[in-house]
Structure formats: C-alpha cells, structure tokens
C-alpha cells in the first residue's frame, strides 16, 4: 500500500494509462479492458487493472495539475514498479495549426511551473518523451484508422487553468508549442528521474484561438482514438 493509492503490491500492471479524470479511468477500464477490477478508490481517484490483447494494463486517474499528477506518478514508479505511463488527456489548442479534436503526441513539454525550477536550481531542464514509446505511438497512429488529425509537437504544461498572464504563452507558440494542458512537463521529468518510460497523448477539447468547444459525443469518439493509440504504443515497447 502507498499513501494515496490503496492497492496491494502486484495489483498494478507495469503499463498504466493515466487520464486526469478518474471517471475517464473508469470509462477506459469498462470500454477497453477485459476483466477490469478496481484496485483503489482513495479520494475518488479510481484505478483499475485488466487486460488488453493479452497484456496486463492499469488505468489510474491523476487529478489535475502537476502537483496532483506527481503524487500518483511517484507512487506508481516507486511503490508499484510501473515501467510505462501514458497520459491520455485533454488540452486547449494555442494555434490554428491545430484543430478541434486533433490528437497531439507530445515530444516535449514547456512549463511555467516552479517544480522544475526547484528541482534544477533555476536551470532550464527540457522534459522529453520516451523515444521508443513516442515512435510506437506515431506508428500506431499511422496504422489505425482515425477520425482526427495527429500532430507530434510541444505541449505547454501551465500551472493555472485560469491563466492570469495569457500573453506570456505567445513566445512559446512562436517557438512551436501547440496546446496547453497541466501535467506533461512534470510527468516527463519524473519518468526520466526514475528511469522509466512516459508519453503524453492529448486530444484538443477546447480552442483558445477560435473558442470552439467539443460536444460530449465528439469527445467520447476522439478519446477512443487516443486510447487505442496509447494501448498499441504502450504494449509495443
Ligand atoms: N488549459 C489548460 N488545461 C487544459 C485546457 C486549457 O484550456 N483544456 C484542457 N486542458
């Protein structure tokens, strides 16, 4: 048992899909895994283990933002010996290069968070995806028939959803950032520290330039595409 995940040793698979929303974790377990069982309900942050195509796979809610996500990622790596985490999340598009419901496979993440500054004494660390996992996700996205476009590029992991300084994202967009979410930078940093694999795949759920939003049905459809890419990639490496 660890502090925030109440699973007995061995109940969490070496591969974990990692959505922010615990209800999304349940939806993934019910719709994609066979014989899924809930292993933890502490704070409502649900986790499930089942199988996909014969591979043991878990799905764990991370909560929103780098502090919450970091608690679960640390415990998964440290207490449960998890080898691969694939975040399956949502993001807000920062540029018209990216459309609603497009899927972004993050090769790296920028951040305004103090977390990396604390860890690296003010130096700028570059959190990047695990390359074999990234390559497997890109290959899966080319193989699977998808209903949306796929981009490989940078995410911006912001600490404030209700951003008080939105003008500060402009230079990041000018240097290739495609969309904003709140977890990937710390996830990639923690995976590097623990010597494990991590990848973030995010679906565009809102557009900060055109101000479009997705319907619940559209979100379900494209989230399904993202989950398929994540499962194929995580079980291929
Ligand atoms: N901002 C931050 N995180 C997000 C957003 C957003 O607009 N959309 C989905 N996750």
């Amino acid at each position: 048992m660890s502090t925030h995940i109440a699973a007995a040793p061995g109940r969490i698979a070496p591969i974990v899909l990692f959505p922010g929303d615990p209800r999304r974790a349940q939806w993934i377990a019910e719709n994609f895994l066979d014989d899924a069982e809930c292993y933890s309900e502490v704070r409502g942050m649900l986790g499930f283990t089942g199988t996909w195509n014969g591979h043991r796979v878990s799905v764990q809610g991370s909560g929103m933002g780098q502090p919450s996500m970091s608690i679960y990622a640390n415990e998964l790596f440290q207490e449960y010996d998890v080898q691969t985490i694939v975040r399956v999340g949502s993001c807000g598009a920062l540029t018209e290069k990216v459309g609603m419901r497009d899927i972004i496979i993050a090769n790296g993440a920028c951040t305004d968070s103090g977390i990396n500054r604390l860890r690296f004494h003010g130096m700028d660390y570059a959190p990047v995806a695990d390359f074999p996992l990234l390559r497997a996700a890109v290959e899966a996205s080319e193989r699977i028939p998808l209903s949306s476009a796929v981009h490989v590029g940078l995410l911006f992991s912001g600490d404030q959803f209700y951003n008080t300084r939105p003008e500060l994202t402009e230079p990041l967009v000018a240097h290739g950032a495609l969309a904003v979410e709140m977890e990937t930078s710390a996830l990639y940093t923690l995976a590097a520290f623990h010597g494990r694999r991590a990848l973030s795949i995010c679906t565009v759920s809102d557009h900060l330039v055109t101000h479009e939003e997705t319907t619940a049905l559209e979100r379900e459809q494209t989230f399904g595409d993202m989950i398929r890419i994540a499962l194929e990639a995580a079980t291929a490496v």
Side-chain angles (χ1 to χ4, degrees):
M1 298 271 196
S2 65
T3 312
H4 300 88
I5 304 175
R11 287 205 67 197
I12 303 182
I15 293 169
V16 175
L17 264 52
F18 205 31
D21 179 356
R23 286 275 176 78
R24 183 74 62 190
Q26 182 166 14
W27 179 83
I28 295 166
E30 286 170 355
N31 288 281
F32 291 87
L33 301 185
D34 294 321
D35 307 318
E37 283 182 17
C38 181
Y39 59 71
S40 183
E41 297 185 69
V42 178
R43 290 177 180 247
M45 201 57 76
L46 306 175
F48 302 82
T49 298
T51 60
W52 182 81
N53 262 0
H55 299 269
R56 278 184 86 220
V57 173
S58 295
V59 195
Q60 170 68 52
S62 73
M64 290 175 282
Q66 308 196 59
S68 174
M69 184 284 304
S70 298
I71 290 172
Y72 296 98
N74 267 310
E75 292 184 14
L76 292 171
F77 288 140
Q78 237 161 254
E79 314 292 331
Y80 296 98
D81 204 23
V82 166
Q83 300 298 311
T84 299
I85 294 182
V86 183
R87 166 167 155 71
V88 281
S90 61
C91 61
L94 292 170
T95 160
E96 288 187 85
K97 287 182 192 158
V98 172
M100 288 296 286
R101 295 184 290 126
D102 285 5
I103 292 170
I104 298 175
I105 302 174
N107 54 2
C110 326
T111 191
D112 60 2
S113 174
I115 291 182
N116 276 19
R117 253 166 258 146
L118 284 174
R119 190 180 275 264
F120 298 103
H121 313 284
M123 290 190 287
D124 295 319
Y125 176 70
V128 294
D130 175 78
F131 182 66
L133 203 50
L134 174 70
R135 179 169 50 191
V138 172
E139 285 170 358
S141 74
E142 288 164 352
R143 205 167 48 234
I144 305 170
L146 300 172
S147 56
S148 42
V150 174
H151 309 262
V152 178
L154 288 175
L155 290 175
F156 167 57
S157 305
D159 263 359
Q160 302 188 101
F161 183 90
Y162 298 105
N163 194 349
T164 47
R165 302 287 304 277
E167 74 280 10
L168 296 184
T169 57
E170 271 171 32
L172 296 175
V173 175
H175 292 77
L178 299 176
V180 54
E181 47 84 82
M182 303 184 72
E183 292 82 15
T184 299
S185 170
L187 176 63
Y188 285 2
T189 304
L190 286 173
F193 177 68
H194 290 282
R196 311 293 164 79
R197 301 184 190 283
L199 180 68
S200 264
I201 309 177
C202 288
T203 300
V204 175
S205 62
D206 49 286
H207 208 297
L208 279 72
V209 182
T210 65
H211 303 292
E212 298 159 273
E213 286 177 10
T214 44
T215 66
L217 187 67
E218 285 172 334
R219 277 200 294 274
E220 191 151 307
Q221 164 84 54
T222 17
F223 272 85
D225 286 346
M226 173 174 69
I227 305 307
R228 274 181 282 276
I229 295 170
L231 286 165
E232 295 259 359
T235 55
V237 294

